[in-house]
Amino acid sequence: MKRHTHILLGHGSGGRLTHELIKSLFLKHFRQADEHFLTDSALLDPGKGQIAFTTDSFVVDPLFFPGGDIGKLAVAGTVNDLAVSGARPLFLSAAFVIEEGLSIDMLETVVQSMAREAANAGVRIVAGDTKVVERGKADKLFITTSGIGQILPGAGNIARAAEVMPGDLILINGSIGDHGMAVMAARNQLSIGTDVVSDCACLHQLTELAVAHGGLHFMRDATRGGLAAVLAELCENRPFGIDLFEEKIPVSDGVRGMCELLGFDPLHVANEGKVVMVVSREKAPGLMDMLRQHPLGGQAAIIGTITENHPAKVWLHTAVGGTRLIDLPAGEQLPRIC
């Protein structure tokens, strides 16, 4: 059988080439799922309890960047959407839109990365789809992943922020802006910021520890829109506001330098391995200490507080003693970062 070195339109036809691609590449790496992959739906038995279900598309440019690639990003992004909802991720699906002419070797590298990240996360890729579009009708490769997870006991209200109240403290598990600046540097082949590496990672083990610790009232991963978007959305139309303390927010020297040079605000730059948590004042110090013992939480910090003084608004208390209002970004600062 001839092994093609590049994607042809026929690979998306549903015919022989499609089946060859599925068997020689996708099943080869997602082989745990081979009993499901060739049927129309995956029949799963996740057990008893509440289920979380999510989906997301990934169109990052370039496909490979310091600290990750589109495959790792597609798995981690969906795992994290489940994790911050208080769920333990169980199953993923993966749909590929491939541009004619993409190197098979490049596609396999991406698929291997997905398989490795899924295995490390303990989730199974159990369903998928492949489409190929004509040369010039897409930009190499787009991936859509969907995921199912089981809500952990006592975590059903975390995504809705229903229990957030004045006096609660706000934590983050580490420095912000690394993913956005790493993609920016790779896309433009900038010599500056070459030490900035994406924080792309699966956070579900960290979030499970936080749920088990207790006192957790809200979680969300700070992806597009960055930390600012998470906090602005959290208090929008709510009877509470947020005081945020700039000097407490971890930002690496590399990210800070790139942002100052290029005119970005680190608060609005995307992350792919950072989670914002709102926790009761009594439980916050213990949770921060626990997060710092985890490889993905070494720079965990308490960065703000929920307040009743200015409902629905986020006020940043700057390092020089001033204050400024933090709002949702007006537009996309950096397109195609995830």
Side-chain angles (χ1 to χ4, degrees), residues 112-334:
Q112 286 174 326
S113 178
M114 294 180 70
R116 186 166 52 248
E117 191 66 17
N120 291 339
V123 299
R124 297 173 60 195
I125 300 174
V126 296
D129 185 40
T130 303
K131 295 292 188 297
V132 177
V133 298
E134 299 94 329
R135 196 183 299 265
K137 298 298 184 182
D139 191 359
K140 298 182 281 296
L141 177 65
F142 301 148
I143 301 175
T144 297
T145 45
S146 300
I148 294 175
Q150 192 158 30
I151 298 293
L152 297 167
N157 283 326
I158 285 177
R160 290 190 286 269
E163 298 176 8
V164 173
M165 63 185 70
D168 285 351
L169 298 181
I170 302 167
L171 282 76
I172 193 164
N173 62 311
S175 61
I176 60 172
D178 297 80
H179 177 71
M181 288 298 100
V183 172
M184 177 77 172
R187 181 181 302 170
N188 296 284
Q189 299 180 331
L190 299 176
S191 57
I192 57 172
T194 52
D195 60 332
V196 177
V197 175
S198 169
D199 58 345
C200 180
C202 290
L203 294 166
H204 60 298
Q205 293 179 345
L206 198 73
T207 57
E208 285 195 31
L209 289 174
V211 170
H213 180 77
L216 188 63
H217 295 161
F218 173 75
M219 285 193 294
R220 184 168 295 171
D221 51 339
T223 54
R224 283 182 300 172
L227 176 62
V230 171
L231 297 180
E233 289 178 359
L234 172 61
C235 66
E236 187 175 30
N237 299 320
R238 299 291 187 114
F240 55 80
I242 291 173
D243 284 320
L244 190 62
F245 303 102
E246 186 177 42
E247 62 182 349
K248 302 291 186 184
I249 301 171
V251 184
S252 73
D253 291 341
V255 168
R256 191 182 302 280
M258 286 189 68
C259 286
E260 289 176 353
L261 187 63
L262 301 172
F264 290 100
D265 183 343
L267 294 175
H268 291 103
V269 177
N271 315 272
E272 288 294 343
K274 295 297 177 297
V275 54
V276 179
M277 301 177 179
V278 177
V279 63
S280 68
R281 183 172 293 270
E282 295 75 20
K283 291 285 188 178
L287 177 57
M288 184 178 68
D289 291 342
M290 189 189 68
L291 294 179
R292 285 180 171 177
Q293 302 303 312
H294 192 279
L296 298 179
Q299 292 181 286
I302 296 172
I303 60 173
T305 185
I306 304 294
T307 179
E308 57 187 357
N309 292 336
H310 41 79
K313 298 185 185 303
V314 181
W315 280 106
L316 177 72
H317 299 262
T318 68
V320 295
T323 57
R324 67 180 172 96
L325 185 63
I326 301 298
D327 205 350
L328 287 169
E332 188 83 80
Q333 273 198 333
L334 282 173

Side-chain angles (χ1 to χ4, degrees), residues 54-60 70 73-74 77-78 81 95 97 142-146 224 272 337-338:
T54 187
T55 190
D56 205 347
S57 295
F58 298 86
V59 297
V60 64
I70 190 172
L73 190 63
T78 297
D81 284 345
V97 176
F142 301 148
I143 301 175
T144 297
T145 45
S146 300
R224 283 182 300 172
E272 288 294 343
I337 44 131
C338 61

Side-chain angles (χ1 to χ4, degrees), residues 7 11-15 18-19 21-22 25-27 30 36-42 92-98 107 111 114 125-133 141-146:
I7 291 294
H11 282 118
S13 68
T18 301
H19 284 269
L21 183 67
I22 291 172
L25 200 156
F26 296 118
L27 288 183
F30 301 154
H36 305 291
F37 214 96
L38 298 180
T39 57
D40 284 341
S41 299
L92 301 182
S93 71
F96 300 82
V97 176
I98 310 169
L107 180 59
V111 173
M114 294 180 70
I125 300 174
V126 296
D129 185 40
T130 303
K131 295 292 188 297
V132 177
V133 298
L141 177 65
F142 301 148
I143 301 175
T144 297
T145 45
S146 300

